[in-house]
Structures are given as structure tokens and as C-alpha cells.
């Protein structure tokens, strides 16, 4: 049992794979076609090259210039907050920088030279250059401009606006207006040695296209890729694809240069703000210092003071120490108040006072952080809207940091005031002990103390003014180049290996996919295996091969054709089936089909002819009185001859009066259908039907009835009771598999008895049992190559 199951499973698998195996010629042709197509594609496809570059985004505090956190770096007010790599990547990808790159290389203008099949971009090796005048910016129009130029001489060139227009001779340096755009043409050195074979003049012809700046920026932005090499690293990789590798390299290198210029400009803005703040403060402090010096001079002149006695030196030593500390406190108070005033009045500028001597680390860290975030906010604001998530986040962060700075400044100033009061209180106590000190001495010391405070602030600001000037003069680039832009000579697209592999795979999959789709959606029978699976209770008499278009569908005497051999096999199998019957009377064979066009009439005629050629006397009855077809094997005039209809209607007629002999087959007679009646079913139900069958059986050795299709009318079911064997004709690639269920139900219901099937129009490759050799035993069939050679007379 298991062996039988295994054999059935193996056979089923073989049957499933057979359509795919038979498709091997198409697979080979498909693979060859796809490979040839892929080679043509690789030959003429536009090659794209990828240029890559890498840079290191340096820490902003390590640059040579004044950075965002360098102004108050001596006091640590801004902390150590660095720009995130993500922000720098967005700046590198910004359309603003790309627009600068495009303007630098004039990439809105493209040059191309037409070859035999396609156009190729020309980047450097051309004889002229085209520039759009600044007053007619390319960004002001939306449509591209296209025209053609050719080299004429060192001072002249040819110009035409359309491919079919005449050439116009123009001079270099002449301003030419094309579609409201003013263009100027300038000559360039042209290396004709790089040209291919052919006419140099034709090769020098160029097609020039000028596109809007916005479209060009969008194009390069879509091809630019910027990303980091690692999550925690500061190395940024840049890449861009282009049909010209050299142009891709130039774009990346210039983009890096534009990025450094932009970063330097940001740093210089901070330095300029610092210089402006220091200059303003110096002016104020200078006035204060002059006022103090003038007051001291006036005081000493009015009082006649030249020197203070040293009699109170011991007591005053303590006072000096306290006053020294008080000086430091008041200096810090002055710096804190000045810084707070600047934060209030100059809210649109960076807090850029650097190294003023504050001694509060927390306040220093807050101001450093605020200045860093403000600079980032101003830089990103050049490429983003105020409503973008990044700008909103930075704005909120600025507000929070400013509130923290004011809070810390207030706390710091209040603490200094407390310390100042304590020092003053100690000084008053000591001064009470030296009450003998003249009032002039007290006044002199008070004035001198104010002078020293103002002088200390003045010196500090002068020092920072020099530092700021140095920062403006020396500024290092923000991006350190690791690898400059480089585009290998090997294109990234198309990839030959991938294209060839895809062609090979596609060449195999296309025919196999078509076979698979045919297996799924094609619902026609193809061979006897379809009948064996769906009609296991029906024996199969044989298969009729599909004939070529010029072959005859009628068997003639001594016929050795494939058609004749197939019907001889069917005749033999039918004889076995007829011989198994229990009676010796003349046998009646009913030939029918499910629908029209399956070849039942041809099958009935050739089957009758085959039996007649074997020596039997055969009568072929045209039982399809609704759509008569037997007459087409003879003269068309027989269509009007009396036949079955007249016999059933007129009881006086005899068969011998109606039968028609076949000229080339003396043993075969035909009873044609006759006139088409209005009530065919009722005629078959009459007793004359039985009389006709009985009379035929008495005159002939075999009676074959060509009946009507079963699914269309009931005629076949009415006369089937007179038949000994029903030959059911199906047609390969015509009969739906769904109709086989109808045949099965008809047999189960007893409407047709002793049914045997014939499969018509079967391809030789689909013959059951693998009969790929067909019926070529007696006469070899010419191969396709032999037929081709015969036609070509080889």
C-alpha cells in the first residue's frame, strides 16, 4: 500500500513538474533575450559615480577664533556645552550652503554632447562657458532654457535655439538675450585630443541647458547624503552621486569650504559683539576714571594736602586689609551690575564679556551655556522657520537660561552686598579706634578707593579688548578634513554583476511564471490525464492529435497520416468495448460532446470511415438536426437533401431512399440531418426514431450517430437509449475543466450509458503516457531545422 502511495506521489510530482520541464526551450530563449537586453542596457545606460568625503567637527572651544563660549571663558560662565553633531549635519545638508556651492561652480548651466545613441554630460572639456548676468538671475524664472552651440573660430561660435533652426554666428563676450535672460559667452581652452573618432566639428557641438536655481538645489539636495560614522564620534561622512565623478568631487569639497566659512562667520559675529560691548564699557569707565582723578586733584588742592602722617600706621594697617577685601567685593559688584544691565538692555546680542573676574562658578556656567545656545539658535534660524521644533526648543531653552542667569546674578549681587556691609561694619569699628585721624585722611582714602576700583575695571576691559582683536584676526576652520571628495572610476550604478544576475534570474522566472500562471488560471483540458483525474469512471478510447493548419481533417483510403493512425487506435479500442457487450446484433455508437466546436462531427465521420475501410458496412447518421454539419465533407448541395428529419416526419420514407454513399469509401453510407425542424426534441420522442435505428441495424454492420451537444439541448439524452456505446468527444485547449463535472453528473444520473471518451486536437507533446514521438513510426516527421533548411533551399 505504501509503495502504491509513493508511486502515486512520485507520479503526481512528475505531472506537476512536467509543464515546467517542457518549457526549457522558452527558458533558454528568455535567458538569452534578457542577457542581450541587459548588455544593451549596460552599454547605453547612464553611469553614475559616487564621491565621498569625511570631516571631523571640532569642539567649538578648541578653535583658533573667539567661539560661542570664549567671551567669558576665563570665568567659566558658559560651561562646556558643545554643538550636537545632528545640528551640524542639518547645516551641512542645508539648501543655503548648497545654493552657494551651485553659484560657485555655475551648476545651473549644464553642457552635454550627443553621441550615436544618447547624450553625455560635459563638465570640463568644452570650448566655451555661459554665464547668466546677475541682474537677470536664473532664480527669477521657472522654465529651463535649452539651446545649441558649436565652435567656429577663436573669436566666433555658432548658436541656434532649436535643433531644426539655422545656425547664427556670434562673437565671444557679446551679451545675448534668450527667453528674457541675458547671457554672456566666454571661450575656454578645448582639448580636442579627448574626442572620439569622427568629425571634430560635430563633436564640438554642445547642448546647453540652464535650469532654475531652485530646481538644481533640490536635485543636488536629494542626492546628497550626510551621516555620522558612529553614535559617539564626531566624524561626518558625506557622499553624493552624479553622472560626472569630477563634478561630484568638486561639490563635496566646496560644500565643506562653505560650511567652514559659515562657521567662521558665526564665530566672528560673537567676537564683534564682544568688541562692541567692551568699547562701550571702556568709554563709560574712562569718563568715570577721569572724574575720579579730577576729584582727587581738586580735593588735595583745596585742602593743601601733600602727605598723610604715619602716626596711625598700626591702626590703619587693619583698615587697609579690610579695604583691600572691600575693593575686591565692590569690583565684583560693579561687574555683576554691569553684566545685568547689559543683559537687560542688549537682549538681542550674545553675553560676550570675557574674563571680567567674577568668582561665581555657577553663574559663569549659566552664562556660557546661554551664549552657546543663543549662537546655535541664530545660526539654525537662517535655514529654519520660527515654528520648527528645533527653533521652538532652542527658544524655550534660551528663556529658561536667561531666567536662571538673572536669578543667579541677583543672588550673587545680594551676597556681595552682605559681604560689603560686613566689611564696612568692621572698618567703622576700627575707625572709631582712630578717631584722632583727621577727617581729610578719611575723605582722601574714600576718594582713592573709588579711583582704584574704576582703574581696575578699566585695565581689565583693556586687556579683553586686545584678546578680542586677536580672536578676530585668527580664526581656525570648524571642520577638519579627513578625506577630501573622491569619486572612483567604477560607477555605482548600474552594477554589471547585479544586472547580469537579475537578467539571468528574470530570464528563468518569466517563462516559469507564465507556466505557473497558466496552471492557475488556464482552465482548459490538455491531455488524457485531465480526464483520468476528473472522470475516473470513464474509459478513454484514444487521442486525436492536433493537426497543422494545412493538414486535411478527413481520412482517405490508404491514409498513413497521423490523423488516420490515431483513429485506427480509437477503432481498435472501441471494438474491444463493443465486443464486451452481451448481444450480437448490430452495434449502435452515439458520438456527442458537451458544447459546440469540440470536433464531434469530425470524430464521428472519421471513426465511421475507419470502420468502413476495415471492411464493415457502416451507416453514419446525422443526429444533430438542429445544426447539421455532415454535409461539409461533401458537396454543399447535400445540405438540402432529405434525411433524418424527413424520415421521422414521413412514415412512407425508407432509409434506402435517403442514404448517401461516400464516393471514396463504398462501405460507408450517410443519412444526413435533412431540414431543420421547429421541434427537434418532439421528433426524437416519436416511435419513428426506434424504427429508424432498427431499420439501420438490419442493413448495416455498424451504426454511428452524430448527435447534438449534451449541455445545449436534450436530443442526445432522448436517443441515447438506442446506443450501445456513447463516444464522448472533448477537445484539448477548448473544453473547460468545469464541464467535466457536468459529464460526470450526467453519467451518474444515468442519462448516458457505457460512455467512452475521445480527446480531440491534442498536442503531440501532451499525449498520454509520454508519447512524445506521436505517430511517426511509418514516416519520419521533419524537424523545425529541416523545414527551415528546405524553405531556404539549403
Amino acid at each position: 500500500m505504501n509503495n502504491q502511495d509513493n508511486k502515486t506521489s512520485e507520479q503526481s510530482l512528475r505531472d506537476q513538474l512536467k509543464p515546467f520541464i517542457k518549457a526549457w526551450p522558452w527558458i533558454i530563449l528568455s535567458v538569452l533575450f534578457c542577457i542581450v537586453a541587459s548588455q544593451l542596457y549596460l552599454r547605453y545606460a547612464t553611469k553614475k559615480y559616487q564621491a565621498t568625503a569625511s570631516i571631523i567637527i571640532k569642539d567649538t572651544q578648541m578653535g583658533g577664533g573667539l567661539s560661542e563660549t570664549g567671551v567669558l571663558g576665563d570665568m567659566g560662565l558658559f560651561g562646556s556645552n558643545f554643538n550636537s553633531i545632528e545640528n551640524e549635519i542639518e547645516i551641512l545638508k542645508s539648501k543655503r550652503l548648497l545654493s552657494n556651492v551651485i553659484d560657485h561652480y555655475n551648476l545651473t548651466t549644464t553642457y552635454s554632447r550627443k553621441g550615436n545613441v544618447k547624450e553625455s554630460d560635459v563638465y570640463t572639456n568644452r570650448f566655451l562657458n555661459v554665464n547668466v548676468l546677475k541682474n537677470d538671475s536664473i532664480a527669477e524664472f521657472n522654465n529651463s532654457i535649452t539651446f545649441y552651440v558649436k565652435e567656429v573660430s577663436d573669436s566666433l561660435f555658432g548658436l541656434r535655439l532649436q535643433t531644426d533652426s539655422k545656425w547664427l554666428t556670434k562673437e565671444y563676450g557679446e551679451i545675448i538675450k534668450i527667453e528674457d535672460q541675458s547671457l554672456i559667452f566666454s571661450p575656454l581652452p578645448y582639448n580636442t585630443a579627448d574626442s572620439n573618432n569622427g568629425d571634430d566639428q560635430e563633436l564640438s557641438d554642445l547642448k546647453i541647458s540652464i535650469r532654475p536655481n531652485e530646481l538644481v538645489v533640490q536635485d543636488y539636495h536629494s542626492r546628497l547624503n550626510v551621516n555620522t560614522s558612529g553614535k559617539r564620534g564626531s566624524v561626518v561622512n558625506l557622499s553624493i552621486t552624479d553622472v560626472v565623478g569630477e563634478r561630484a568631487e568638486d561639490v563635496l569639497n566646496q560644500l565643506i569650504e562653505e560650511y567652514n566659512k559659515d562657521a567662521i562667520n558665526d564665530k566672528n559675529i560673537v567676537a564683534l559683539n564682544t568688541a562692541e560691548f567692551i568699547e562701550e564699557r571702556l568709554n563709560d569707565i574712562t569718563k568715570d576714571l577721569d572724574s575720579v582723578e579730577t576729584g582727587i586733584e581738586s580735593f588735595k588742592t583745596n585742602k593743601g594736602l601733600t602727605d598723610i602722617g604715619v602716626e596711625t600706621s598700626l591702626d590703619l594697617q587693619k583698615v587697609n586689609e579690610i579695604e583691600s577685601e572691600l575693593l575686591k567685593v565692590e569690583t565684583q559688584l560693579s561687574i555683576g551690575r554691569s553684566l545685568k544691565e547689559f543683559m537687560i538692555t542688549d537682549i538681542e546680542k550674545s553675553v560676550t564679556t570675557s574674563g571680567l573676574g567674577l568668582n561665581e562658578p555657577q553663574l559663569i556656567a549659566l552664562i556660557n551655556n546661554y551664549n552657546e545656545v543663543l549662537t546655535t539658535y541664530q545660526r539654525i534660524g537662517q535655514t529654519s522657520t520660527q515654528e520648527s521644533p528645533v527653533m521652538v526648543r532652542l527658544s524655550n531653552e534660551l528663556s529658561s537660561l536667561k531666567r536662571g542667569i538673572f536669578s543667579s546674578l541677583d543672588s550673587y549681587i545680594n551676597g556681595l552686598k552682605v559681604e560689603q556691609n560686613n566689611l564696612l561694619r568692621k572698618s567703622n569699628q576700627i575707625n572709631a579706634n582712630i578717631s584722632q585721624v583727621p577727617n581729610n585722611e578719611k575723605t582722601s582714602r574714600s576718594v582713592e578707593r573709588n579711583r582704584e576700583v574704576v582703574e581696575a575695571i578699566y585695565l581689565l576691559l583693556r586687556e579683553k579688548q586686545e584678546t578680542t582683536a586677536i580672536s578676530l584676526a585668527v580664526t581656525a576652520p570648524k571642520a577638519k578634513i579627513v578625506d577630501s571628495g573622491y569619486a572612483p572610476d567604477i560607477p555605482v550604478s548600474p552594477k554589471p554583476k547585479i544586472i547580469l544576475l537579475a537578467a539571468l534570474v528574470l530570464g528563468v522566472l518569466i517563462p516559469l511564471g507564465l507556466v505557473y500562471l497558466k496552471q492557475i488560471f488556464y482552465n482548459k483540458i490538455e491531455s488524457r490525464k485531465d480526464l483520468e483525474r476528473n472522470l475516473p469512471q470513464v474509459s478513454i478510447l484514444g487521442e486525436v492529435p492536433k493537426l497543422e493548419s494545412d493538414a486535411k481533417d478527413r481520412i482517405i483510403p490508404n491514409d498513413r497520416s497521423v490523423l488516420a493512425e490515431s483513429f485506427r487506435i480509437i477503432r481498435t479500442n472501441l471494438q474491444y468495448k463493443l465486443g464486451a457487450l452481451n448481444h450480437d446484433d448490430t452495434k449502435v455508437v452515439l458520438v456527442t460532446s458537451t458544447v459546440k466546436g469540440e470536433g464531434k462531427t469530425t470524430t464521428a465521420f472519421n471513426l465511421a470511415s475507419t470502420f468502413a475501410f476495415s471492411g464493415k458496412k457502416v451507416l453514419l447518421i446525422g443526429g444533430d438536426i438542429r445544426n447539421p454539419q455532415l454535409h461539409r465533407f461533401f458537396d454543399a448541395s447535400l445540405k438540402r437533401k432529405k434525411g433524418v428529419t424527413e424520415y421521422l416526419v414521413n412514415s412512407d420514407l425508407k432509409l434506402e431512399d435517403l442514404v448517401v454513399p461516400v464516393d471514396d469509401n463504398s462501405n460507408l453510407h450517410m443519412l444526413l440531418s435533412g431540414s431543420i425542424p421547429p421541434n427537434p426534441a418532439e421528433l426524437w420522442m416519436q416511435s419513428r426514431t426506434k424504427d429508424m435505428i432498427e431499420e439501420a441495424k438490419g442493413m448495416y454492420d455498424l451504426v454511428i450517430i452524430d448527435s447534438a451537444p449534451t449541455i445545449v439541448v436534450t436530443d442526445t439524452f432522448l436517443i441515447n437509449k438506442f446506443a450501445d456505446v456513447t463516444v464522448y468527444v472533448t477537445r484539448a485547449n477548448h473544453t473547460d475543466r468545469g464541464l467535466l463535472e457536468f459529464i460526470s453528473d450526467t453519467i451518474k444520473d444515468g442519462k448516458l450509458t457505457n460512455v467512452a471518451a475521445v480527446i480531440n486536437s491534442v498536442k503531440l507533446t501532451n499525449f498520454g503516457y509520454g508519447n512524445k514521438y506521436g505517430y511517426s513510426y511509418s514516416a519520419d516527421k521533419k524537424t523545425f531545422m529541416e523545414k527551415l533548411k528546405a524553405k531556404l533551399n539549403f
Side-chain angles (χ1 to χ4, degrees):
M1 187 68 180
N2 292 332
N3 293 336
Q4 183 66 26
D5 293 341
N6 293 336
K7 186 175 181 180
T8 302
S9 176
E10 181 181 354
Q11 185 177 6
S12 176
L13 180 61
R14 189 186 302 115
D15 292 341
Q16 294 178 11
L17 294 178
K18 185 177 179 181
F20 298 95
I21 297 174
K22 288 195 303 183
W24 68 266
W26 296 107
I27 294 176
I28 294 177
L29 290 176
S30 177
V31 169
L32 291 176
F33 174 79
C34 290
I35 290 178
V36 171
S38 67
Q39 291 300 316
L40 291 175
Y41 172 77
L42 290 173
R43 172 64 179 83
Y44 296 109
T46 301
K47 295 179 176 59
K48 295 183 179 180
Y49 302 87
Q50 185 179 55
T52 58
S54 59
I55 58 176
I56 293 178
I57 305 297
K58 295 188 293 184
D59 177 9
T60 56
Q61 290 186 347
M62 296 176 63
L66 185 64
S67 70
E68 293 85 342
T69 59
V71 181
L72 297 179
D74 294 341
M75 298 182 292
L77 293 178
F78 290 154
S80 59
N81 182 34
F82 306 140
N83 285 345
S84 66
I85 297 298
E86 289 76 10
N87 291 339
E88 302 306 319
I89 289 177
E90 291 300 321
I91 295 173
L92 280 166
K93 292 173 63 176
S94 66
K95 294 181 179 179
R96 176 175 57 86
L97 293 185
L98 273 176
S99 180
N100 295 338
V101 174
I102 290 168
D103 290 340
H104 182 271
Y105 285 108
N106 193 23
L107 296 180
T108 54
T109 303
T110 56
Y111 307 82
S112 60
R113 180 176 290 117
K114 185 176 182 180
N116 295 328
V117 176
K118 64 175 184 177
E119 293 182 354
S120 300
D121 276 27
V122 177
Y123 182 55
T124 55
N125 190 25
R126 60 181 186 267
F127 64 89
L128 57 69
N129 191 40
V130 181
N131 289 299
V132 180
L133 295 184
K134 293 182 179 180
N135 57 343
D136 291 330
S137 175
I138 192 66
E140 295 179 358
F141 70 99
N142 297 322
N143 298 322
S144 299
I145 298 175
T146 301
F147 53 90
Y148 303 86
V149 296
K150 70 175 181 179
E151 189 175 16
V152 176
S153 66
D154 293 340
S155 59
L156 301 176
F157 66 95
L159 170 68
R160 66 179 178 185
L161 302 181
Q162 303 292 336
T163 55
D164 55 352
S165 60
K166 293 183 179 180
W167 287 101
L168 303 176
T169 302
K170 301 290 183 179
E171 292 185 1
Y172 290 115
E174 179 181 355
I175 298 176
I176 302 173
K177 200 155 191 177
I178 301 177
E179 296 186 14
D180 298 330
Q181 295 299 311
S182 297
L183 309 178
I184 187 167
F185 296 76
S186 55
L188 291 176
Y190 178 52
N191 184 13
T192 57
D194 292 341
S195 303
N196 297 326
N197 295 331
D199 184 42
D200 291 341
Q201 184 65 27
E202 289 296 327
L203 287 175
S204 66
D205 295 353
L206 293 176
K207 176 184 177 182
I208 301 178
S209 298
I210 304 178
R211 295 184 295 164
N213 183 273
E214 182 178 353
L215 295 181
V216 178
V217 171
Q218 185 65 36
D219 178 31
Y220 278 88
H221 185 267
S222 64
R223 292 187 275 119
L224 177 65
N225 185 26
V226 183
N227 52 47
T228 58
S229 59
K231 293 183 178 180
R232 303 182 63 86
S234 58
V235 177
V236 176
N237 298 321
L238 300 91
S239 64
I240 192 170
T241 57
D242 201 310
V243 295
V244 181
E246 184 180 355
R247 181 165 57 196
E249 294 176 356
D250 290 344
V251 168
L252 289 186
N253 291 332
Q254 187 61 31
L255 180 63
I256 296 172
E257 184 175 343
E258 293 293 335
Y259 170 77
N260 280 330
K261 288 181 181 178
D262 186 68
I264 290 172
N265 289 337
D266 287 344
K267 295 176 182 179
N268 287 342
I269 288 174
V270 175
L272 290 173
N273 289 339
T274 301
E276 183 180 353
F277 170 76
I278 292 175
E279 187 67 28
E280 292 177 357
R281 295 303 301 154
L282 277 175
N283 292 334
D284 295 339
I285 294 300
T286 300
K287 293 178 182 179
D288 293 341
L289 187 59
D290 290 341
S291 178
V292 170
E293 294 288 349
T294 301
I296 293 175
E297 181 181 359
S298 176
F299 171 75
K300 289 185 177 182
T301 300
N302 294 333
K303 297 296 183 181
L305 297 175
T306 57
D307 191 8
I308 304 297
V310 294
E311 64 276 5
T312 58
S313 60
L314 294 176
D315 293 332
L316 293 178
Q317 183 178 358
K318 294 181 181 179
V319 175
N320 290 333
E321 292 175 357
I322 294 174
E323 288 180 349
S324 177
E325 293 180 5
L326 188 61
L327 174 63
K328 294 179 181 179
V329 172
E330 289 177 347
T331 300
Q332 294 293 311
L333 272 173
S334 178
I335 292 174
R337 288 167 179 164
S338 299
L339 189 57
K340 183 175 180 181
E341 180 182 358
F342 177 79
M343 288 286 292
I344 294 174
T345 57
D346 296 286
I347 58 175
E348 297 298 329
K349 298 180 180 178
S350 303
V351 182
T352 56
T353 55
S354 175
L356 297 182
L358 288 177
N359 296 322
E360 179 58 33
Q362 183 179 3
L363 180 59
I364 292 172
L366 283 173
I367 296 178
N368 277 340
N369 198 7
Y370 171 81
N371 191 49
E372 177 74 11
V373 174
L374 179 59
T375 303
T376 303
Y377 175 86
Q378 293 172 345
R379 187 194 331 167
I380 295 180
Q382 297 178 2
T383 58
S384 302
T385 62
Q386 295 298 324
E387 292 79 15
S388 67
V390 175
M391 294 296 292
V392 172
R393 178 179 63 79
L394 291 174
S395 177
N396 294 335
E397 188 176 356
L398 285 173
S399 299
S400 177
L401 288 172
K402 182 173 287 187
R403 290 194 298 270
I405 291 172
F406 281 122
S407 177
S408 297
L409 279 173
D410 291 337
S411 299
Y412 182 62
I413 291 172
N414 291 334
L416 290 175
K417 288 180 178 179
V418 172
E419 186 176 357
Q420 182 186 34
N421 293 332
N422 291 334
L423 292 173
L424 289 175
R425 185 170 56 254
K426 291 180 180 179
S427 178
N428 292 333
Q429 291 175 356
I430 296 174
N431 288 332
N433 296 329
I434 56 172
S435 57
Q436 294 87 4
V437 176
N439 186 52
N440 291 338
E441 182 68 19
K442 294 181 181 179
T443 304
S444 178
R445 289 185 178 279
S446 176
V447 174
E448 185 67 23
R449 184 172 62 247
N450 291 335
R451 185 190 67 79
E452 290 176 355
V453 170
V454 175
E455 186 178 32
I457 297 174
Y458 176 80
L459 293 175
L460 180 62
L461 289 175
R462 292 292 294 179
E463 179 183 356
K464 286 305 165 184
Q465 188 179 39
E466 293 300 322
T467 303
T468 304
I470 294 173
S471 299
L472 283 171
V474 181
T475 304
K478 189 173 186 179
K480 179 181 180 181
I481 298 177
V482 179
D483 290 315
S484 299
Y486 173 70
D489 294 334
I490 301 176
V492 295
S493 174
K495 296 183 181 297
K497 292 183 179 179
I498 295 178
I499 296 297
L500 288 176
L501 178 61
L504 180 62
V505 173
L506 194 62
V508 174
L509 291 181
I510 287 177
L512 292 182
L514 293 176
V515 172
Y516 179 72
L517 291 176
K518 181 181 178 183
Q519 296 286 58
I520 295 176
F521 298 105
Y522 192 71
N523 64 340
K524 309 293 184 181
I525 65 172
E526 293 184 310
S527 66
R528 67 183 297 150
K529 295 183 182 298
D530 294 320
L531 295 184
E532 290 173 349
R533 283 193 295 266
N534 295 276
L535 298 174
Q537 73 276 27
V538 177
S539 59
I540 299 176
L541 297 178
E543 300 160 285
V544 179
K546 182 179 181 180
L547 302 178
E548 296 182 4
S549 58
D550 57 347
K552 295 181 179 180
D553 60 350
R554 175 184 174 183
I555 297 175
I556 60 177
N558 301 318
D559 197 340
R560 299 179 62 191
S561 65
V562 174
L563 180 66
E565 293 297 336
S566 66
F567 274 100
R568 291 187 183 106
I569 293 176
I570 294 173
R571 178 191 65 190
T572 301
N573 293 334
L574 182 58
Q575 283 178 333
Y576 281 116
K577 197 168 186 66
L578 293 174
L581 299 176
N582 295 326
H583 63 85
D584 297 329
D585 296 340
T586 298
K587 308 302 189 295
V588 179
V589 177
L590 178 68
V591 180
T592 187
S593 65
T594 308
V595 293
K596 180 182 177 181
E598 293 179 305
K600 64 174 181 58
T601 299
T602 303
T603 300
F605 179 81
N606 287 324
L607 185 61
S609 298
T610 304
F611 272 102
F613 286 136
S614 68
K616 289 184 177 293
K617 191 174 182 180
V618 180
L619 175 63
L620 176 59
I621 299 176
D624 189 358
I625 60 178
R626 298 174 184 264
N627 184 27
Q629 293 295 324
L630 276 179
H631 61 274
R632 65 185 178 87
F633 292 98
F634 302 97
D635 192 348
S637 60
L638 292 177
K639 183 177 181 180
R640 294 184 294 274
K641 183 174 178 58
K642 296 180 180 180
V644 174
T645 301
E646 286 75 14
Y647 184 92
L648 296 178
V649 173
N650 190 351
S651 60
D652 294 334
L653 293 176
K654 301 295 182 181
L655 283 182
E656 59 186 13
D657 301 329
L658 302 175
V659 296
V660 177
V662 178
D663 295 338
D664 57 358
N665 195 340
S666 59
N667 289 329
L668 176 60
H669 291 175
M670 290 196 307
L671 177 61
L672 299 176
S673 301
S675 303
I676 299 176
N679 55 345
E682 286 74 12
L683 288 181
W684 287 118
M685 295 174 64
Q686 295 179 9
S687 59
R688 284 287 288 175
T689 303
K690 182 178 181 181
D691 296 340
M692 180 181 66
I693 300 300
E694 293 298 330
E695 186 176 353
K697 291 169 66 175
M699 297 172 59
Y700 297 93
D701 299 330
L702 180 65
V703 178
I704 298 178
I705 305 174
D706 175 27
S707 182
T710 57
I711 202 171
V712 181
V713 294
T714 61
D715 298 7
T716 301
F717 300 137
L718 295 175
I719 60 178
N720 180 257
K721 59 185 177 180
F722 303 108
D724 296 300
V725 175
T726 301
V727 176
Y728 210 107
V729 179
T730 60
R731 183 174 181 177
N733 302 308
H734 181 82
T735 304
D736 289 346
R737 289 191 178 97
L739 295 178
L740 300 181
E741 185 177 354
F742 168 78
I743 299 173
S744 178
D745 293 340
T746 301
I747 296 173
K748 290 178 181 179
D749 295 340
K751 296 179 180 180
L752 298 176
T753 57
N754 203 10
V755 178
V758 171
I759 309 170
N760 185 29
S761 191
V762 180
K763 296 179 181 178
L764 293 181
T765 55
N766 287 332
F767 264 68
Y769 311 117
N771 188 13
K772 63 181 179 180
Y773 305 103
Y775 296 97
S776 58
Y777 173 74
S778 58
D780 292 338
K781 185 178 180 180
K782 292 184 178 180
T783 63
F784 172 78
M785 293 301 299
E786 290 173 343
K787 291 180 179 180
L788 182 61
K789 289 180 180 180
K791 290 183 179 181
L792 297 176
N793 295 324
F794 281 0

